Amino acid sequence: MGSSSKNIEQAQESCYLEWMSLQSERIPELKQLLAQRQSQHGDKDNDDKLRELTGKIIGDFKEYAGKRASLARRCSSNYYAPSWNTPLENALIWMGGCRPSSFFRLVYALCGSQTEIRVTQFLRNIDGYESSGGGGGASLSDLSAEQLAKINVLHVKIIDEEEKMTKKISSLQEDAADIPIATVAYEVEHVGVPNTVVDQALDKQEEAMASLLAEADHLRVDTLAKIVEILSPVQGADFLLAGKKLHLSMHEWGCMRDSRRREHMVDAEDNNIIFDACTTVNNWATTTTNS
């Protein structure tokens, strides 16, 4: 094979890095159109451009989900604790990504924070401040009662879907200790020796995990699209901009925390505790293998 060939994990990581790069590229596009919309005070042509861009962004997400589904068929377990993620991101992961319900929390958070900012601006009488007056939804702080009602109904439905999927993955995790895997592990003389029966059982589980990943990604894409449908063009663009900045920021914050963690020194007393614990585990593994 050529030098450009990749193993499955490298291909999955490359797909992720391309996705992160695309998200970074979309941020200035969103900012530019939002700034134009603010300066032009509700120009219809600008709203059409915002709809087109938000449509492209939803399409980006759908295409990325399709690539993940294809790569997951070859190895799905990588997506449940990706090596290309930081520990912080993996600690927050759900079914290979974020919870769709977190999109709603972002809407609520932005709605509250923007309202607070606008009130502060009004009280301080900052130059250039204009009340929206209900004129087409200038920001998420202008969500109408009808919009909020639709978002709340959708939120409840998505939480229900998440719970159903969580039960499915819990069942799969429990199956890992089921027959024939548990029986083979108990009966083999040496721990971890290759076994055809175990490989077949784990392959079947990986297939099920790949299907669940695709299902979760579909729910994420569908939820995002339905939220944007409820919002005005400006609100939708504002929401997607916040989501992208949050995703990219969490990765960078995770990297910074990892860097600080690697620089942290463990004192001698702590080091002895870690050494003793590792020795105990190694002795147990040796005893088990030789028994």
Side-chain angles (χ1 to χ4, degrees):
M1 296 184 69
S3 59
S4 62
S5 63
K6 300 176 181 178
N7 63 34
I8 181 59
E9 186 172 5
Q10 290 172 331
Q12 290 170 336
E13 181 175 4
S14 177
C15 178
Y16 164 78
L17 292 175
E18 289 174 4
W19 166 240
M20 293 291 277
S21 176
L22 180 58
Q23 290 202 86
S24 296
E25 292 172 11
R26 291 299 190 197
I27 286 178
E29 294 179 62
L30 285 165
K31 285 183 175 180
Q32 181 180 5
L33 283 180
L34 285 169
Q36 289 175 1
R37 171 57 164 73
Q38 187 176 10
S39 63
Q40 293 168 5
H41 302 290
D43 181 71
K44 184 180 182 301
D45 182 58
N46 186 261
D47 280 357
D48 290 341
K49 290 179 181 178
L50 281 171
R51 287 191 185 93
E52 182 181 357
L53 181 55
T54 54
K56 285 182 180 179
I57 290 172
I58 299 297
D60 293 340
F61 197 6
K62 188 174 182 179
E63 184 179 352
Y64 175 59
K67 290 179 180 178
R68 276 167 47 106
S70 178
L71 290 167
R73 284 195 288 270
R74 296 166 60 190
C75 180
S76 62
S77 55
N78 287 342
Y79 281 115
Y80 286 81
S83 60
W84 50 87
N85 270 3
T86 63
L88 173 64
E89 291 170 292
N90 282 340
L92 302 174
I93 207 168
W94 176 85
M95 304 289 288
C98 65
R99 284 183 175 273
S101 58
S102 66
F103 299 152
F104 298 94
R105 302 297 291 270
L106 180 58
V107 171
Y108 300 144
L110 291 172
C111 181
S113 65
Q114 289 185 359
T115 298
E116 183 177 345
I117 290 171
R118 288 164 68 89
V119 169
T120 301
Q121 288 178 325
F122 177 77
L123 293 175
R124 292 178 179 175
N125 194 25
I126 293 179
D127 291 339
Y129 171 79
E130 294 182 5
S131 176
S132 65
S139 71
L140 285 167
S141 62
D142 295 308
L143 282 174
S144 67
E146 182 181 1
Q147 285 177 309
L148 278 173
K150 289 180 178 179
I151 287 173
N152 290 337
V153 169
L154 182 59
H155 191 183
V156 172
K157 290 181 179 178
I158 297 305
I159 288 176
D160 185 53
E161 291 298 317
E162 283 183 356
E163 290 177 351
K164 291 176 182 177
M165 294 188 65
T166 298
K167 288 179 181 178
K168 290 180 182 179
I169 194 64
S170 296
S171 178
L172 275 177
Q173 290 170 337
E174 291 167 2
D175 288 346
D178 205 350
I179 298 173
I181 299 176
T183 303
V184 172
Y186 178 75
E187 292 178 349
V188 294
E189 183 177 355
H190 299 290
V191 172
V193 295
N195 186 283
T196 302
V197 174
V198 171
D199 283 339
Q200 290 174 345
L202 292 178
D203 285 344
K204 185 177 180 180
Q205 188 176 45
E206 286 254 16
E207 290 175 9
M209 291 169 64
S211 296
L212 276 177
L213 177 70
E215 188 178 342
D217 276 351
H218 175 76
L219 184 62
R220 281 186 271 265
V221 174
D222 190 53
T223 301
L224 198 68
K226 286 180 178 177
I227 290 176
V228 171
E229 285 177 7
I230 295 172
L231 304 175
S232 71
V234 177
Q235 291 167 343
D238 209 20
F239 165 67
L240 291 175
L241 174 62
K244 292 186 178 301
K245 292 178 72 175
L246 176 60
H247 187 189
L248 293 167
S249 295
M250 286 297 291
H251 183 72
E252 293 304 317
W253 289 332
C255 289
M256 287 188 288
R257 291 175 69 85
D258 286 351
S259 178
R260 291 199 299 266
R261 194 174 292 117
R262 282 192 294 269
E263 294 171 358
H264 179 71
M265 302 300 293
V266 179
D267 61 34
E269 183 178 351
D270 291 339
N271 201 35
N272 288 334
I273 293 173
I274 295 171
F275 177 78
D276 291 342
C278 291
T279 302
T280 300
V281 171
N282 289 335
N283 290 340
W284 175 86
T286 302
T287 302
T288 303
T289 303
N290 293 334
S291 61

